[in-house]
């Protein structure tokens, strides 16, 4: 299997978003140079990244066809196949994820939701009946979800992670602000919004200096 | 000013989170090797990253003091200074951000919230009185916010971004699934959750292959 770095993989959804935006604006062809300006990476990197996932070479001067690049990226990212996931924790963040428009297109299909709040259990949130978190061991396996999305407080995250892995999940998408130990039979990806904020704040310094 | 790559900057909040977790567990000293295992980067990279922001060298065999590393990272990341921000869009995602526990420690102080929904305007959400989005031009400047957090649909994001920049924001933290044109007097940082999901799904393939 060809291997891609974490950074390279992270760039593909960004290319895709820009390309979808261009397509909406009626743009049919795009050069690597134009794309590199939109995403803020070097032209060299854009060329290399696209060559790794797309066979279309584009025409000199005109560039690559936007529609076929979108096609190639969606295929590469697995957006065309549905991946079953469960949401563990349906507080504000969990509900926001169910709503998130940039999210539906990724192919992630949320087939179950768990929470420990008695007021939420049994209620219908985003089309899903909320199931009791204490019964993950028995109620998760029949859902055949491969990904568990953790939107719970840090103190509960490790336990929920272990239960989800035991119940058949091999991917943990962790929004709880704590590192997790998932063992060797699963993968955890931590979402740390503070990382994105750190980049923004640091880059703002250059503007503050000019003022 | 010393320059840091986007990737390097992104790693510091991850180190910080792991260190805070170790501190809670009663760990007082940590080696680069132990830290590299926790964060999943090479030991060489951990050493280089920490040397760039911390003067403490640590003791051979014992490692660096966790508390002083936390101190150095929080100072470097500007968590000790308050940065004023406004929230534009107080739907589920906006409200989830107000609640997000990993968020309060970053030094971001949310001093205002705007929305265009008449039912939300005037109400109190997360301790903030929601202000009408149509009046950003007059109501935002007195708040002296440097960052605007956009939690609105893609179609409204560019306009809101331009208004926020005109009203004095120099940083746009964009959660809308669309690229923004901010001009030269501001910085935009786009949060693309699909990037994190792409990394997770790709890494899961190695486990699916073994099964």
């Amino acid at each position: 299997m060809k291997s891609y770095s974490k950074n390279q993989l992270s760039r593909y959804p960004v290319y895709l978003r820009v390309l979808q935006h261009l397509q909406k604006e009626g743009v049919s062809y795009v050069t690597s140079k134009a794309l590199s300006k939109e995403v803020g990476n070097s032209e060299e990197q854009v060329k290399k990244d696209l060559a790794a996932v797309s066979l279309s070479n584009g025409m000199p001067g005109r560039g690559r066809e936007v529609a076929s690049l979108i096609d190639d990226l969606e295929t590469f990212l697995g957006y065309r196949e549905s991946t079953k996931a469960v949401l563990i924790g349906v507080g504000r963040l969990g509900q926001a994820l169910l709503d998130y428009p940039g999210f539906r297109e990724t192919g992630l299909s949320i087939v179950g939701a768990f929470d420990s709040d008695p007021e939420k259990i049994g209620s219908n949130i985003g089309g899903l009946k909320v199931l009791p978190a204490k019964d993950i061991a028995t109620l998760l396996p029949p859902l055949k979800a491969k990904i568990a999305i953790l939107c719970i407080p840090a103190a509960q995250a490790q336990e929920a992670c272990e239960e989800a892995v035991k119940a058949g999940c091999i991917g943990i998408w962790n929004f709880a602000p704590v590192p997790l130990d998932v063992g060797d039979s699963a993968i955890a990806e931590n979402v740390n919004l503070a990382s994105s904020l750190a980049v923004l704040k640091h880059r703002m310094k250059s503007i503050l200096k000019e003022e």
Side-chain angles (χ1 to χ4, degrees), chain A:
Chain A
M1 193 169 69
K2 201 169 166 177
S3 108
Y4 299 84
S5 76
K6 186 168 170 161
N7 293 329
Q8 189 178 0
L9 285 168
S10 300
R11 289 194 293 270
Y12 289 119
V14 179
Y15 293 129
L16 181 58
R17 187 166 287 176
V18 167
L19 288 164
Q20 287 164 332
H21 183 67
L22 290 172
Q23 193 177 46
K24 253 192 198 162
E25 288 188 330
V27 177
S28 302
Y29 287 85
V30 67
T31 61
S32 303
K33 196 176 174 179
L35 200 51
S36 91
K37 270 189 193 168
E38 292 275 351
V39 296
N41 303 328
S42 74
E43 193 181 338
E44 239 1 85
Q45 189 173 64
V46 171
K47 277 186 184 161
K48 221 175 122 186
D49 284 346
L50 294 184
V53 298
S54 172
L55 288 173
S56 80
N57 276 315
M59 284 173 276
R62 201 174 181 193
R64 293 163 192 256
E65 204 188 353
V66 171
S68 81
L69 271 180
I70 289 177
D71 218 56
D72 292 338
L73 283 169
E74 287 186 344
T75 303
F76 171 73
L77 290 167
Y79 287 6
R80 304 305 176 68
E81 328 141 22
S82 151
T83 307
K84 286 184 181 168
V86 290
L87 190 63
I88 304 186
V90 267
R92 279 182 180 148
L93 182 61
Q95 291 184 42
L97 281 178
L98 286 175
D99 275 350
Y100 195 62
F103 198 62
R104 280 172 226 143
E105 61 170 7
T106 62
L108 212 61
S109 161
I110 306 201
V111 295
F114 292 89
D115 205 289
S116 56
D117 179 353
E119 289 200 8
K120 284 191 185 127
I121 294 168
S123 73
N124 190 305
I125 295 184
L128 295 166
K129 195 182 151 198
V130 180
L131 303 169
K134 68 172 176 53
D135 297 332
I136 284 178
T138 50
L139 298 179
L140 202 160
L143 297 172
K144 300 200 180 304
K146 287 289 169 212
I147 294 179
I149 308 172
L150 299 195
C151 292
I152 51 181
Q156 298 152 30
Q158 180 62 37
E159 197 189 334
C161 161
E162 286 167 20
E163 286 172 346
V165 171
K166 265 191 213 155
C169 291
I170 56 165
I172 304 292
W173 202 20
N174 178 33
F175 286 78
V178 66
L180 297 177
D181 179 4
V182 282
D184 297 329
S185 58
I187 301 287
E189 171 70 14
N190 301 310
V191 178
N192 193 338
L193 294 177
S195 288
S196 157
L197 185 61
V199 174
L200 176 64
K201 281 174 79 178
H202 192 83
R203 291 175 60 211
M204 282 166 61
K205 284 187 189 166
S206 62
I207 290 188
L208 285 169
K209 272 191 96 175
E210 285 165 19
E211 277 182 351

